[in-house]
Amino acid sequence: MGIQAGRDMRSPIEFRSDNSVGVAPEILAAISEADVGGALGYGGDRWTEQLNEMVRQVFEHPTARVFPVPTGTAANALALSGMTPPWGAVLCHRDAHIITHEGGATSLFAGGAVMSAVSGEGSRVEPERLLATLKGVTWGDPHESQPAVLSLTQPTEAGTVYPVAALKDLSGVAAEFGLTTHIDGARLANAIVTLDCSPADVTWKAGATAVTLGATKNGGMSTDAIVSFDESLSDGLVFRTKRAGHVPSKMRFQSAQLLAYLTDDLWLRLAAASNRAAQRLATGLGLLGVEPLDRPEANILFLSLPPEAVARLEEQNMQFYRIAPGVIRFVTSFKTTDAEVDDALVRFGQALAG
Ligand SMILES: Cc1ncc(COP(=O)(O)O)c(C=O)c1O
């Protein structure tokens, strides 16, 4: 394979995304182990049954139901489609993945419902702004989309985390106006580790009706899932997932991944490794005089660096995303090693020195 002109000969260090890395060995093994004998399709298999039991235990909720779907986008859009009427609005932060990066999937599945942005520092919705938005709605006016759901990303797209009390505040404000709350938990495990709380504390006990579980970014191979805490939402999701073409006949291989993910806290152990790598990177950068734009509370950090330094980092085979002029994003994963972080810090030192 040719080496790009001007590129450093050192091996690449992966910080583009936690979905750029591979699969956790336990999950890969679980897929292989599920390849045994015959099993009913479309979720009628023992792995999916066990997964439902496991989700009820892990989330301490007797009627929780899990719907494995292939992507986080599908989980968000399908869950939200069951939580809003077609004339509804889904309120979310202006940086939320559902509004910026999912091609309007929620509007498609929700029959034309719109997404409406609320702002707040660190990509976190602020309760005062949510309240002001909700007070400004002309309720009952058919000319105006009627807010029906609040969707919160936990951790946020900026790598910040909502404390449990903030989730309760926000879902409480939403509930006063008749809205239910959804959590986009593409990296939910990272938030649980940071908050050192239970999965129940950060979801239904904090007012969430449904959660996108995440998995692909944290060691999964090809699955995400909706966890619904509301039976009538679950009843509808049986049909919604099917009509969207998201009930695979070989669901057992998705369920096997999710079972392994939740077994013996694997998801939390993987997320802890990923969070630790981000902290090590942030601490090392601090020693070099570089402070992330928001305090990293999970596994994502954003930096503002002079364009020449950014170019030099790229030349040194560091892999990351340019987000905006002068702003770059680093994401650590369960696979990021201490040695990689330390090597990255050496390269940062050189890139900053010029
Ligand atoms: C916060 C957040 N939500 C949802 C998604 C969507 O996940 P997927 O790429 O599996 O559709 C992503 C993916 O980047 C994300 O970062």
Side-chain angles (χ1 to χ4, degrees):
M1 197 166 67
I3 291 177
Q4 246 177 286
R7 235 180 218 286
D8 200 293
M9 299 288 286
R10 284 175 286 188
S11 52
I13 311 183
E14 180 60 73
F15 289 112
R16 285 171 299 186
S17 178
D18 35 13
N19 60 20
S20 305
V21 300
V23 180
E26 295 87 339
I27 292 178
L28 216 42
I31 298 170
S32 180
E33 281 158 22
D35 192 12
V36 50
L40 275 183
Y42 308 105
D45 59 87
R46 68 178 160 88
W47 292 266
T48 306
E49 193 185 324
Q50 275 175 33
L51 176 64
N52 261 300
E53 282 164 23
M54 169 79 84
V55 162
R56 287 173 182 177
Q57 270 171 31
V58 167
F59 284 88
E60 303 170 62
H61 195 290
T63 58
R65 214 163 146 184
V66 60
F67 296 85
V69 288
T71 65
T73 301
N76 285 339
L78 287 167
L80 288 166
S81 76
M83 297 169 75
T84 176
W87 54 88
V90 176
L91 302 189
C92 59
H93 193 276
R94 64 182 145 76
D95 298 337
H97 202 266
I98 59 167
I99 201 170
T100 60
H101 279 91
E102 296 186 359
T106 292
S107 296
L108 172 71
F109 286 120
V114 300
M115 283 165 283
S116 187
V118 185
S119 47
E121 292 300 309
S123 297
R124 278 185 281 239
V125 173
E126 285 172 9
E128 305 71 34
R129 298 202 192 192
L130 176 64
L131 187 60
T133 302
L134 290 168
K135 280 187 172 167
V137 174
T138 316
W139 295 97
D141 178 356
H143 297 93
E144 197 172 321
S145 297
Q146 303 286 291
V149 195
L150 171 66
S151 179
L152 302 171
T153 313
Q154 172 76 318
T156 68
E157 288 75 7
T160 57
V161 167
Y162 288 98
V164 172
L167 292 175
K168 283 185 180 162
D169 276 0
L170 286 160
S171 65
V173 171
E176 274 174 44
F177 290 82
L179 281 71
T180 52
T181 297
H182 160 260
I183 291 180
D184 176 355
R187 301 182 176 84
L188 185 65
N190 300 77
I192 293 173
V193 168
T194 300
L195 295 171
D196 193 19
C197 65
S198 73
D201 285 339
V202 78
T203 56
W204 65 272
K205 286 188 180 171
T209 297
V211 176
T212 293
L213 182 65
T216 315
K217 298 178 189 314
N218 190 30
M221 185 173 90
S222 53
T223 192
D224 203 305
I226 303 165
V227 177
S228 161
F229 302 110
D230 180 277
E231 288 179 79
S232 95
L233 174 64
S234 300
D235 290 345
L237 283 172
V238 171
F239 293 91
R240 288 178 185 280
T241 50
K242 181 63 194 173
R243 293 190 78 213
H246 282 323
V247 181
S249 56
K250 291 193 179 171
M251 191 186 283
R252 68 166 134 158
F253 296 103
Q254 280 176 257
S255 299
Q257 291 176 60
L258 293 165
L259 258 180
Y261 188 59
L262 297 176
T263 298
D264 296 335
D265 289 341
L266 177 65
W267 62 322
L268 304 181
R269 287 185 276 124
L270 296 171
S274 170
N275 285 3
R276 264 197 310 273
Q279 286 307 323
R280 189 177 182 95
L281 184 60
T283 305
L285 285 170
L287 295 173
L288 293 171
V290 178
E291 290 302 331
L293 294 183
D294 289 293
R295 194 164 67 84
E297 295 173 334
N299 66 328
I300 302 178
L301 48 99
F302 289 82
L303 306 173
S304 173
L305 291 182
E308 318 78 60
V310 173
R312 282 194 291 271
L313 280 174
E314 286 171 337
E315 282 161 17
Q316 292 181 350
N317 237 348
M318 292 271 279
Q319 298 183 311
F320 55 87
Y321 280 139
R322 289 176 182 245
I323 298 295
V327 179
I328 55 179
R329 187 188 80 165
F330 284 71
V331 184
T332 56
S333 78
F334 70 98
K335 283 214 170 178
T336 312
T337 62
D338 286 355
E340 279 177 317
V341 173
D342 296 346
D343 187 353
L345 289 167
V346 171
R347 298 186 203 189
F348 262 107
Q350 291 166 350
L352 293 167

